[in-house]
């Protein structure tokens, strides 16, 4: 059974880059959300194995999404990767403190994302 990954990213170009980076890795089922609100609607429908989120999104931003995921008992152990243009140490610490497992700064190399996915999904 393929592992399920939810990508919350408002940029369709960046979502396509993330999807293509994952697609070459093998058998993953990918769900795409254009913002945090859409991601919150998708979460109860599918038991995802990993969440990848941007920070700067309309409606519900990525940090709010991280907070929700970590406060819900159903997703407390779900690995979560933030991918953001916000690359300061303060932003990174904030994301990790909220419960993200990893923080990747844009632009990123596909190899970096693939290594993190392997680390958390095996």
């Amino acid at each position: 059974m393929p592992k399920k990954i939810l990508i919350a990213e408002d940029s369709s170009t960046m979502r396509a880059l993330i999807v293509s980076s994952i697609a070459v890795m093998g058998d993953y089922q990918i769900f795409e959300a254009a913002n945090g609100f859409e991601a919150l609607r998708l979460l109860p429908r599918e038991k995802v194995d990993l969440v990848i989120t941007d920070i700067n999104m309309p409606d519900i931003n990525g940090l709010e999404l991280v907070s929700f995921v970590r406060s819900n008992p159903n997703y407390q152990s779900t690995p979560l990767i933030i991918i953001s243009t916000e690359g300061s140490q303060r932003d990174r610490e904030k994301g990790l403190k909220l419960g993200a497992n990893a923080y990747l700064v844009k632009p990123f190399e596909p190899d970096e994302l693939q290594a993190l996915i392997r680390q958390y999904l095996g």
Side-chain angles (χ1 to χ4, degrees):
M1 183 158 222
K3 300 279 186 176
K4 297 178 180 180
I5 299 175
L6 172 62
I7 301 168
E9 168 63 63
D10 61 328
S11 164
S12 59
T13 303
M14 184 55 67
R15 272 199 321 273
L17 176 64
I18 295 170
V19 168
S20 67
S21 297
I22 296 170
V24 298
M25 295 177 64
D27 193 20
Y28 291 101
Q29 188 173 3
I30 299 170
F31 301 91
E32 297 180 48
N35 55 54
F37 182 73
E38 195 174 313
L40 290 178
R41 287 190 336 198
L42 285 170
L43 274 173
R45 296 183 194 164
E46 297 292 338
K47 173 67 178 141
V48 299
D49 300 294
L50 175 75
V51 176
I52 298 171
T53 185
D54 185 15
I55 288 180
N56 297 318
M57 296 187 291
D59 300 324
I60 297 171
N61 69 40
L63 294 176
E64 292 168 324
L65 179 62
V66 171
S67 294
F68 173 80
V69 169
R70 287 299 174 243
S71 66
N72 186 317
N74 294 327
Y75 312 112
Q76 285 180 340
S77 62
T78 302
L80 204 152
I81 300 170
I82 292 174
I83 299 177
S84 179
T85 55
E86 307 295 331
S88 74
Q89 186 63 28
R90 184 174 143 247
D91 291 325
R92 178 184 301 269
E93 288 173 1
K94 186 173 184 180
L96 296 174
K97 187 175 180 179
L98 286 172
N101 297 82
Y103 195 104
L104 200 56
V105 177
K106 297 176 188 174
F108 64 90
E109 292 295 325
D111 290 354
E112 297 174 284
L113 178 60
Q114 293 165 354
L116 288 172
I117 291 170
R118 284 189 196 95
Q119 178 181 341
Y120 294 110
L121 296 182

